[in-house]
Amino acid sequence: MKTIQQRRLMRVIHLIGAAAIGTYIYAPWREIGWFTLLMQCLVLPSLTLTGLWMWKGHKIRKKTAITSPRRSGNVLTSVSDIP
């Protein structure tokens, strides 16, 4: 997945979660037990993770990237090349 697509997906998830929290605050649904549990176990953690990923995702990707070892121009081809 490209970075721009990933960022768009994170934004959509974040906006849907924000709408759910707004509904929880301003609607009378806060008295419904399953909706409160949904907010606590699904929406708030997903908002936290997507927010952190949008904020610091570039640093996380940089630290976890697998890099190939750099090759130097001085490669020994045999034991007789050792000075």
Side-chain angles (χ1 to χ4, degrees), residues 7-9 14 17 21 32 34 37 39 43 45 49-50 53 66 68 73 81-82:
R7 190 159 178 86
R8 269 191 206 136
L9 179 66
H14 210 73
I21 286 180
I32 301 174
W34 66 267
L37 186 63
M39 287 287 126
V43 174
L49 291 175
T50 57
W53 187 258
I66 300 173
S68 60
D81 291 340
I82 299 175

Side-chain angles (χ1 to χ4, degrees), residues 1 3 5-6 9 12-13 16 18 23 33 42-43 45 49-50 54 56 59 61-62 64 66 73-74 80:
M1 184 180 293
T3 306
Q5 292 171 336
Q6 187 178 25
L9 179 66
V12 168
I13 291 171
I16 290 171
T23 303
L42 184 69
V43 174
L49 291 175
T50 57
M54 286 191 294
K56 291 289 184 178
K59 288 193 177 189
R61 280 191 301 273
K62 186 186 284 187
T64 59
I66 300 173
N74 301 331
S80 62

Side-chain angles (χ1 to χ4, degrees), residues 74-83:
N74 301 331
V75 178
L76 298 176
T77 57
S78 67
V79 179
S80 62
D81 291 340
I82 299 175

